[in-house]
Amino acid sequence: PERLTGRTVAVTGYLELGIDLPFTVRECDGCCLAYTCPRPSMKTLLAHFYPEDYTCYRATVADVSPNRILQAVEGMRRRVQGRARARFYTSFFLATEPIRFLDVGCSFGLLLDCLKQRTAWELHGLEPNPRMAAVARAKGFQIEESFLRDTRHPDGFFRIVNFCHVFEHLDDVLGITEALAKLTAPQGVHLHFVDLRDHYFKYPFEMLKFSESVWRNFLNPTSNLNRYRLNDYRHVFDANFTQAEF
């Protein structure tokens, strides 16, 4: 990033923030938007750069916001989504089966809530965000506050793995998929919801117009978009699972 042209508009006081690496804020000559340079790690972003009004945090506090109607609608949408996915899983597996279920990126445990109402399964969640993990854990779920490759679960531990809107944000898709395959029992099942749209410009394919260097170093949002397409995922899944349906 240092070789790209751009005016330095700020130098962070990174030590008082507890950030492990110094970085500057650069303004792009082309679009005039400012970005951290180099980009902080995902662990650093989680620890320091998610504001109090981050969308997912709104469900963890008492609702006193003037936007409470919009928040209520968003909460209703998420609950409907969670119930639909819970019904999907219970249509394939008996609610009384001794099943270990893992929700990767479980947020504050909405899907686990829906499954708890319908099944006797052993429900686990994986959530790297400390605040959301604490909320899910307070509901009585077994939540591991870590990234997938750091999990302490043994190989073949889970019968069902849910990955909802996570894959499109991963840096190492192949490595994560290999780790998932190891965690899954021989007759296990995965369900992946992957959003291939552009989250940055709000147009479906706008992000594909930029070179890898420009995207990675300047335009890629804090949520990280890997820009994988359907065939990319097909290649990775076919290499790690005996059967993959798209």
Side-chain angles (χ1 to χ4, degrees), residues 66-128:
N67 296 319
R68 58 186 178 274
I69 295 178
L70 292 177
Q71 292 181 22
V73 171
E74 173 64 13
M76 185 182 302
R77 183 189 70 82
R78 290 175 179 269
R79 286 191 292 273
V80 169
Q81 236 178 26
R83 287 194 290 267
R85 287 168 188 158
R87 286 195 299 271
F88 175 86
Y89 285 119
T90 53
S91 68
F92 287 95
F93 298 93
L94 292 176
T96 54
E97 284 189 73
I99 286 175
R100 290 195 187 102
F101 180 98
L102 174 66
D103 187 13
V104 180
C106 67
S107 183
F108 48 88
L110 190 146
L111 174 59
L112 300 179
D113 271 335
C114 295
L115 286 170
K116 184 178 181 179
Q117 297 169 14
R118 292 169 168 78
T119 72
W121 298 348
E122 183 180 322
L123 302 172
H124 296 253
L126 192 67
E127 176 53 60

Side-chain angles (χ1 to χ4, degrees), residues 144-160:
E144 187 175 355
E145 187 183 311
S146 71
F147 291 91
L148 184 63
R149 279 172 294 192
D150 301 326
T151 182
R152 298 184 298 272
H153 296 299
D155 292 353
F157 191 72
F158 295 104
R159 178 81 180 278
I160 306 176

Side-chain angles (χ1 to χ4, degrees), residues 200 207 211-221 225 227:
Y200 182 80
M207 65 180 177
S211 70
E212 185 69 11
S213 176
V214 169
W215 178 256
R216 287 289 180 187
N217 296 320
F218 285 95
L219 298 180
N220 193 11
L225 291 173
R227 303 199 295 177

Side-chain angles (χ1 to χ4, degrees), residues 104 148-149 155 161 163 166-168 170-184 190 192 194 226 228 232-244 246:
V104 180
L148 184 63
R149 279 172 294 192
D155 292 353
V161 176
F163 235 58
V166 176
F167 255 110
E168 63 267 31
L170 298 177
D171 268 331
D172 183 11
V173 174
L174 180 58
I176 293 296
T177 307
E178 290 173 348
L180 278 173
K182 289 181 181 178
L183 276 177
T184 310
H190 287 201
H192 301 286
V194 183
N226 55 43
Y228 266 48
D232 298 318
Y233 287 111
R234 191 187 304 276
H235 175 75
V236 172
F237 290 166
D238 285 345
N240 285 278
F241 301 107
T242 56
Q243 181 181 359
F246 293 84

